[in-house]
């Protein structure tokens, strides 16, 4: 039997959140954490969490698993238990730092607002050609490690600077996306993008703690991208 | 009393995947007040899982490539029940739609010339089948759907589309004249129910792969648009045509792209034999998906499957080398390591045909207008209702979709629906307002489920439904077996109608959403079952053991399923493309 500790909170019936202790027969299988949740929801339909693709590409089921942010659908129980917190028990909590709506579902409005703030779309003021805008494989390679972001919020909600200033610090995810457009040879808005970011909070609240790198389920490196933006801002200032 | 808030738009799009967001983008750019209702944040839609690419004759890989060759392949792939006018439109307009995606910022992979990288995919040829394998699928590594979906979301942000994210549309609102004038929708976060009034309602709700127990589809693919259309009394077309993708990871169902075989991977049985050479001597592993899926199933049934239970075959990739795998198929390497515990660099991936795509859906014309058929057998437009993407059957896929054609379908027809609605709005759309009774009728299902006091568990009923579909309507089908399945479904309908919603709370109540989704799954499943039993031939993905041949005399046509009488009718396939003569049906071999 697998012991599971679940964060529960229904704003309509609960005064405050609590940890619910349940047991589940996994048939000895090393299930993914999402499979565990699906089985539990089968017997308790009131359990709320987000899920969609169940293969780690849609970014719905980011949650805090035994103390570490990750995607439930690609985290096997065995790996979760290795995170160290909780002993032999699977401990599932919502992503930290943002308001909880219900159970494992958080309100991601601030996270999305920071994403929108960096103008996450290509800007190019030259007329579009009749075919695609040409881009060499070397130029395109600069987007690798950036465009794959799935907006799961595992990184930003693991970042102490984002916890402190979620309204003013863009956060690792938003900044990774900001650099994705700064690095794109087809984008011509570099100057405006940099001036939008040039204040004490948007970028410079990053203190290089690297929790973001540690938790990113896609193996991306926001800290490195932030370093690039920082250098661009600094070389622009001189 | 329908005591709910009304929100009004010029155009409302139900579904925030590729098709919905492409339609929304077109409308938002034209300045009309446009809303997208999506039950998940848009980048969580199932388009995100598309891997291999978007097929289109942009003539990057081969400067001589022509959209007419792509058209030929698609007609042949459809086993000749794809509408040639629609296929012609898609293949011809395709390049423009793909270049727009690049201009919007989509991070396609590139060739040395700086153009979009194209890879070979199944069923592709040069020179109308005479010039060998083509490479026509435009790719962003093996994350093309992700790249496309995020780009479209970004384009919509730029154009100020209004998003109702995590809102769920429950049913269509029809006025006294039978015109569609919007939908009823619930805000998942708060439980608020509103009437979203619109001059044009576009269904872009995607597929319904979750009617099967084993599927590559996301949890959210529950056929909501088909369910709503059928409940409103509108027909669906070719709904028996379900694609089983050859390479779902055995046990997990997760997809590995056809691009693996495009890049040179191949399938082997337990003897290590590259068996596709026997079934499709020319195209081999890149034959149509229906052909490959059937061949694999036969290998397994005849005892040449792999693994302790002999229930899958292997996809061999290691010979491609680590560099190719990590650069062209990085996502596949990740998925295979996570879900198959197999590292493709060193060992083969266990795969099995897995439910993947709904070729059928709401019949539409190339403008995305939903159609029904009148008593005389004439096509009639359903005023106010549009459909595009997987939920629609325009029909470009016929009885079997080619890989890479779904992403093209959704951008081309999302775009064309948007263009047509823009034009209609400019000319003026007049429809009678919905009365209180009309709104009340549209809310009746929701009200019923909110008032249940007993009944069976939604999740148990869903499992039962999926098992029936898996066992009775799979890769190979047989009349008596399907009739038994239909009987089981009839018995299940009553129980699903009376399923219990125990949790009546308002805040983020996913139990309520899943209960409503179950109704939609059931509607799709029942339509599939009845249409499959009616089509007494084998064509494309519909393979019958009791009718093994294609029957052009009786079935070179669409099936149309009418929900009120549970009757299956026929509708003519379009053989009148605009710019060339039609491709006549031929025996389909690869």
């Amino acid at each position: 039997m697998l012991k599971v500790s679940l964060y529960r909170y229904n704003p309509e019936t609960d005064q405050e959140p609590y940890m619910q202790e349940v047991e589940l027969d996994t048939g000895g299988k090393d299930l993914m954490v999402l499979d565990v949740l699906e089985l539990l929801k089968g017997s308790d339909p009131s359990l709320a969490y987000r899920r969609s693709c169940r293969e780690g590409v849609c970014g719905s089921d980011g949650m805090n698993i035994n103390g570490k942010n990750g995607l439930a659908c690609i985290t096997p129980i065995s790996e979760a238990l290795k995170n160290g917190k909780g002993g032999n028990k699977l401990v599932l909590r919502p992503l930290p730092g943002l308001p909880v709506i219900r159970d494992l579902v958080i309100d991601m409005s601030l996270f999305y607002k920071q994403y929108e703030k960096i103008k996450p779309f290509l800007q190019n003021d030259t007329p579009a050609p009749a075919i695609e805008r040409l881009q060499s494989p070397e130029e395109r390679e600069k987007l690798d490690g950036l465009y794959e972001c799935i907006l799961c919020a595992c990184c930003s909600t693991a970042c102490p600077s984002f916890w402190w200033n979620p309204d003013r610090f863009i956060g690792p995810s938003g900044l990774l996306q900001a650099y994705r457009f700064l690095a794109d040879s087809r984008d011509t808005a570099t100057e405006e993008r940099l001036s939008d970011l040039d204040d004490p909070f948007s970028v410079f609240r990053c203190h290089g703690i690297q929790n973001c790198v540690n938790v990113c389920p896609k193996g991306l490196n926001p800290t490195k991208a932030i370093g690039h933006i920082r250098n661009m801002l600094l070389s622009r200032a001189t | 009393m329908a005591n709910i808030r009304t929100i009004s738009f010029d155009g409302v799009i139900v579904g925030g995947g590729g098709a919905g967001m492409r339609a929304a983008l077109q409308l938002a750019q034209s300045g009309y007040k446009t809303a997208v209702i999506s039950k998940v944040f848009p980048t969580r839609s199932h388009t995100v899982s598309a891997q291999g690419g978007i097929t289109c004759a942009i003539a990057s890989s081969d400067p001589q490539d022509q959209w007419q060759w792509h058209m030929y392949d698609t007609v042949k792939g459809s086993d000749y029940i794809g509408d040639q006018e629609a296929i012609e439109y898609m293949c011809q307009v395709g390049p423009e739609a793909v270049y727009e995606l690049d201009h919007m910022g989509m991070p396609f992979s590139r060739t040395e010339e700086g153009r979009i990288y194209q890879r070979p995919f199944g069923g592709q040829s040069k020179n109308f089948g005479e010039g060998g394998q083509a490479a026509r699928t435009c790719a962003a590594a093996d994350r093309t759907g992700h790249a496309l979906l995020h780009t479209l979301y970004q384009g919509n942000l730029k154009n100020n589309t209004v998003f109702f994210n995590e809102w769920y549309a429950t049913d269509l609102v029809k006025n006294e004249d039978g015109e569609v004038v919007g939908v009823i929708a619930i805000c998942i976060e708060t439980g608020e129910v509103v009437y979203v009034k619109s001059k044009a309602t576009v269904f872009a709700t995607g597929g319904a792969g979750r009617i099967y127990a084993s599927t590559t589809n996301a949890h959210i693919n529950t056929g909501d648009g088909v369910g709503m259309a059928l409940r409103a009394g509108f027909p669906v077309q070719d709904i028996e045509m379900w694609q089983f993708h050859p390479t779902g990871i055995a046990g997990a169902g997760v997809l590995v792209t056809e691009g693996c075989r495009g890049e040179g991977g191949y399938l082997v049985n337990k003897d290590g034999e590259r068996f596709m050479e026997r079934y499709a001597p020319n195209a081999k592993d890149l034959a149509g998906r229906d052909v490959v899926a059937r061949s694999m199933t036969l290998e397994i049934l005849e005892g040449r499957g792999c693994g302790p239970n002999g229930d899958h075959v292997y996809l061999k990739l290691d010979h491609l080398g680590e560099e190719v795998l990590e650069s062209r198929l990085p996502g596949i390497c990740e998925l295979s390591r996570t879900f198959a515990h197999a590292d493709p660099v060193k060992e083969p991936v266990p795969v099995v045909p897995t439910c993947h795509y709904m070729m059928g859906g709401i019949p539409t014309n190339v403008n995305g207008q939903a159609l029904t058929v009148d008593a005389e057998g004439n096509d009639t437009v359903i005023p106010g209702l549009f459909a595009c993407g997987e939920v629609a059957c325009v029909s470009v896929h016929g009885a079997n979709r080619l890989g890479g054609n779904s992403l093209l379908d959704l951008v081309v027809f999302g775009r064309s629906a948007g263009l047509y609605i823009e034009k209609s709005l400019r000319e003026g759309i007049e429809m009678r307002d919905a009365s209180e009774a009309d709104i009340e009728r549209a809310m009746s299902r929701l009200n019923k489920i909110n008032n249940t006091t007993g009944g069976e568990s939604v999740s148990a009923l869903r499992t039962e439904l999926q098992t029936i579909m898996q066992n009775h309507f799979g890769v190979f089908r047989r009349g008596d077996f399907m009739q038994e399945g239909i009987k089981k479904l009839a018995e299940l309908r009553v129980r699903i109608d009376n399923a219990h919603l125990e949790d009546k709370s308002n805040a983020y109540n996913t139990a309520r959403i899943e209960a409503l989704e179950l109704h939609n799954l059931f509607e799709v499943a029942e339509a599939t079952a009845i249409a499959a039993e009616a089509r007494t031939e084998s064509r494309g993905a519909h393979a019958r053991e009791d009718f093994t041949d294609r029957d052009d005399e009786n079935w070179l046509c669409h099936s149309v399923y009418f929900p009120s009488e549970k009757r299956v009718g026929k509708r003519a396939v379009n053989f009148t493309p605009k710019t060339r003569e039609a491709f006549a049906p031929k025996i389909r071999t690869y």
Side-chain angles (χ1 to χ4, degrees):
Chain A
M1 294 297 268
L2 175 73
K3 289 194 168 114
V4 189
S5 190
L6 283 171
Y7 179 102
R8 299 301 302 266
Y9 174 65
N10 180 342
E12 288 167 60
T13 51
D14 301 327
Q15 290 286 328
E16 54 186 32
Y18 63 97
M19 297 304 289
Q20 180 187 26
E21 307 297 325
V22 288
E23 289 200 349
L24 179 75
D25 184 1
T26 57
K29 282 189 235 162
D30 190 15
L31 301 174
M32 295 296 174
V33 172
L34 179 62
D35 300 330
V36 170
L37 285 168
E38 287 287 305
L39 288 169
L40 292 173
K41 192 172 173 65
S43 48
D44 177 5
S46 74
L47 175 62
Y49 51 89
R50 295 185 173 102
R51 86 283 182 269
S52 175
C53 76
R54 62 81 165 90
E55 56 191 30
V57 296
C58 79
S60 296
D61 60 354
M63 56 188 69
N64 187 270
I65 305 168
N66 287 52
K68 188 178 173 186
N69 291 354
L71 299 179
C73 60
I74 53 169
T75 306
I77 299 168
S78 59
E79 195 188 311
L81 297 182
K82 270 191 242 157
N83 287 345
K85 303 228 171 82
N88 283 328
K89 195 162 45 165
L90 184 63
V91 185
L92 303 178
R93 295 170 178 274
L95 290 174
L98 291 173
V100 173
I101 296 173
R102 175 173 175 168
D103 297 342
L104 300 170
V105 178
I106 56 162
D107 180 349
M108 295 175 75
S109 313
L110 267 173
F111 173 80
Y112 293 136
K113 208 174 121 198
Q114 295 298 358
Y115 173 65
E116 287 171 29
K117 214 191 259 177
I118 63 103
K119 302 201 176 106
F121 39 79
L122 194 87
Q123 298 180 63
N124 189 319
D125 49 20
T126 63
I131 59 166
E132 68 270 43
R133 292 185 192 276
L134 300 183
Q135 184 175 50
S136 71
E138 294 70 32
E139 289 167 332
R140 168 59 182 75
E141 210 182 312
K142 293 189 177 143
L143 308 184
D144 285 341
L146 305 170
Y147 83 94
E148 301 94 326
C149 174
I150 57 173
L151 301 176
C152 64
C154 284
C155 61
S156 293
T157 61
C159 172
S161 299
F162 189 75
W163 294 337
W164 279 110
N165 298 107
D167 51 338
R168 298 167 80 185
F169 173 49
I170 302 284
S173 170
L175 289 170
L176 185 88
Q177 293 290 330
Y179 187 61
R180 177 248 173 276
F181 289 99
L182 286 167
D184 195 322
S185 61
R186 298 169 296 173
D187 191 278
T188 56
T190 306
E191 188 48 39
E192 294 95 307
R193 289 183 188 281
L194 288 175
S195 15
D196 286 348
L197 293 170
D198 199 0
D199 63 69
F201 278 89
S202 296
V203 179
F204 290 102
R205 284 286 122 171
C206 169
H207 297 306
I209 301 166
Q210 304 217 32
N211 280 2
C212 52
V213 183
N214 193 29
V215 299
C216 176
K218 304 311 283 181
L220 311 179
N221 190 331
T223 306
K224 198 169 143 196
I226 295 170
H228 287 306
I229 302 178
R230 212 187 270 262
N231 288 341
M232 289 174 95
L233 284 169
L234 293 174
S235 62
R236 177 170 167 269
T238 53
Chain B
M1 276 290 286
N3 190 17
I4 58 170
R5 194 153 66 98
T6 299
I7 312 176
S8 299
F9 290 92
D10 294 313
V12 62
I13 287 102
V14 183
M21 287 210 287
R22 187 61 189 82
L25 181 68
Q26 198 66 44
L27 268 185
Q29 279 173 341
S30 67
Y32 283 104
K33 208 175 153 201
T34 308
V36 174
I37 298 175
S38 178
K39 65 178 176 178
V40 291
F41 182 77
T43 64
R44 327 265 183 234
S45 304
H46 188 54
T47 303
V48 83
S49 292
Q51 298 170 350
I54 174 165
T55 302
C56 186
I58 60 161
S60 158
S61 159
D62 171 9
Q64 308 304 318
D65 199 15
Q66 298 177 12
W67 66 260
Q68 289 89 345
W69 298 351
H70 180 199
M71 179 183 171
Y72 166 82
D73 291 343
T74 304
V75 170
K76 176 183 172 189
S78 80
D79 220 348
Y80 299 96
I81 60 163
D83 288 318
Q84 298 208 11
E85 184 196 6
I87 295 172
E88 175 189 46
Y89 180 81
M90 176 176 82
C91 297
Q92 189 176 17
V93 172
E96 203 181 324
V98 167
Y99 296 142
E100 284 168 357
L101 291 170
D102 166 77
H103 300 158
M104 233 182 283
M106 183 162 161
F108 282 108
S109 301
R110 299 287 163 162
T111 65
E112 285 305 321
E113 293 74 40
R115 295 209 60 196
I116 294 171
Y117 169 73
Q118 293 182 295
R119 60 163 53 111
F121 245 55
Q124 292 180 357
S125 75
K126 299 181 183 188
N127 197 19
F128 309 107
E130 303 294 325
Q133 177 74 39
R136 195 175 289 129
T137 300
C138 308
D142 56 357
R143 304 186 179 99
T144 314
H146 170 279
L148 186 149
L149 190 66
H150 281 253
T151 302
L152 285 174
Y153 180 62
Q154 294 161 353
N156 275 286
L157 285 180
K158 189 178 180 181
N159 287 283
N160 301 316
T161 304
V162 177
F163 281 98
F164 288 81
N165 293 334
E166 300 190 335
W167 281 65
Y168 183 66
T170 62
D171 272 298
L172 281 170
V173 177
K174 281 201 293 184
N175 68 12
E176 275 173 58
D177 307 321
E179 298 162 331
V180 172
V181 287
V183 290
I184 300 294
I186 312 178
C187 170
I188 299 176
E189 185 180 334
T190 65
E192 189 196 4
V193 179
V194 300
Y195 164 40
V196 185
K197 177 182 168 179
S198 180
K199 293 174 186 158
T201 303
V202 184
F203 274 179
T205 52
R210 288 274 157 181
I211 64 169
Y212 286 93
S214 168
T215 175
T216 65
N217 283 197
H219 285 285
I220 59 171
N221 288 22
T222 53
D224 298 331
V226 171
M228 286 189 273
L230 289 172
R231 271 193 303 277
F234 301 133
V236 290
Q237 174 171 288
D238 296 336
I239 196 73
E240 69 277 21
M241 298 299 180
W242 281 88
Q243 178 162 83
F244 288 79
H245 194 291
T247 55
I249 292 177
V254 171
L255 173 73
V256 295
T257 174
E258 185 168 297
C260 291
R261 284 169 284 138
E263 297 288 349
Y266 55 86
L267 299 163
V268 294
N269 61 20
K270 73 166 185 189
D271 306 320
E273 185 205 2
R274 185 175 181 181
F275 58 86
M276 279 313 298
E277 290 177 336
R278 266 190 282 123
Y279 296 95
N282 299 312
K284 297 174 188 156
D285 296 82
L286 289 177
R289 284 181 177 172
D290 55 333
V291 175
V292 180
R294 272 195 296 279
S295 309
M296 291 168 71
T297 307
L298 285 173
E299 288 299 299
I300 293 166
L301 291 174
E302 289 170 10
R304 292 187 293 279
C306 305
N309 302 321
D311 56 1
H312 55 264
V313 301
Y314 282 135
L315 171 64
K316 191 171 143 43
L317 293 167
D318 57 303
H319 59 285
L320 300 178
E322 188 163 1
E323 206 186 305
V324 169
L325 289 172
E326 292 293 353
S327 64
R328 300 265 168 79
L329 302 166
I332 294 311
C333 292
E334 251 178 72
L335 287 172
S336 176
R337 286 169 196 143
T338 307
F339 288 99
H341 308 292
D343 183 352
V345 174
K346 300 185 194 126
E347 56 204 323
V349 187
V351 291
V352 70
T354 306
C355 168
H356 183 58
Y357 189 85
M358 175 175 85
M359 265 82 69
I362 299 170
T364 70
N365 58 24
V366 291
N367 300 319
Q369 292 176 287
L371 304 173
T372 183
V373 181
D374 69 15
E376 283 78 50
N378 301 312
D379 289 354
T380 315
V381 167
I382 301 169
L385 184 62
F386 296 78
C388 53
E390 190 169 343
V391 67
C393 183
V394 52
S395 143
V396 286
H397 310 306
N400 172 65
R401 173 172 73 74
L402 293 188
N405 268 355
S406 62
L407 292 185
L408 187 65
D409 171 9
L410 60 84
V411 290
V412 165
F413 293 104
R415 182 179 182 272
S416 79
L419 284 168
Y420 184 82
I421 294 167
E422 179 187 342
K423 181 171 150 271
S424 309
L425 285 167
R426 197 156 290 143
E427 289 163 1
I429 296 175
E430 287 307 322
M431 291 194 291
R432 193 198 298 257
D433 279 346
S435 67
E436 294 240 329
D438 298 329
I439 294 171
E440 197 63 41
R441 197 175 321 111
M443 285 180 62
S444 61
R445 183 174 68 108
L446 181 61
N447 290 336
K448 182 178 170 190
I449 204 147
N450 282 336
N451 290 314
T452 56
T453 51
E456 291 175 75
S457 131
V458 166
S459 103
L461 288 167
R462 186 175 54 213
T463 304
E464 211 171 307
L465 174 69
Q466 292 165 337
T467 308
I468 295 172
M469 294 309 290
Q470 191 77 26
N471 292 342
H472 293 268
F473 304 92
V475 174
F476 285 103
R477 298 162 171 186
R478 206 177 70 203
D480 52 346
F481 222 61
M482 288 194 281
Q483 282 152 16
E484 199 187 315
I486 291 169
K487 254 188 231 152
K488 287 185 184 171
L489 287 174
E491 182 257 345
L492 193 61
R493 175 180 274 280
V494 189
R495 293 162 56 204
I496 285 180
D497 277 348
N498 295 307
H500 188 202
L501 176 67
E502 201 176 324
D503 179 2
K504 308 281 201 298
S505 61
N506 290 313
Y508 222 95
N509 185 343
T510 50
R512 176 180 290 126
I513 304 301
E514 289 188 20
L516 293 164
E517 286 173 338
L518 178 61
H519 293 162
N520 295 328
L521 285 170
F522 184 84
E523 296 295 345
V524 181
E526 186 185 56
T528 298
I530 293 174
E533 199 271 337
R535 190 180 276 275
T536 48
E537 64 157 355
S538 289
R539 182 185 299 273
H542 180 64
R544 289 188 62 148
E545 291 168 15
D546 47 355
F547 296 91
T548 52
D549 294 330
R550 193 173 85 188
D551 177 3
D552 282 352
E553 203 173 307
N554 295 299
W555 286 105
L556 185 65
C557 61
H558 299 296
S559 73
V560 185
Y561 171 78
F562 297 91
S564 33
E565 314 100 298
K566 297 196 200 295
R567 174 174 66 83
V568 179
K570 294 180 179 180
R571 178 170 171 251
V573 171
N574 178 288
F575 280 98
T576 52
K578 292 208 162 80
T579 62
R580 55 158 299 127
E581 61 188 51
F583 295 104
K586 284 195 295 197
I587 299 204
R588 183 166 161 258
T589 54
Y590 285 100

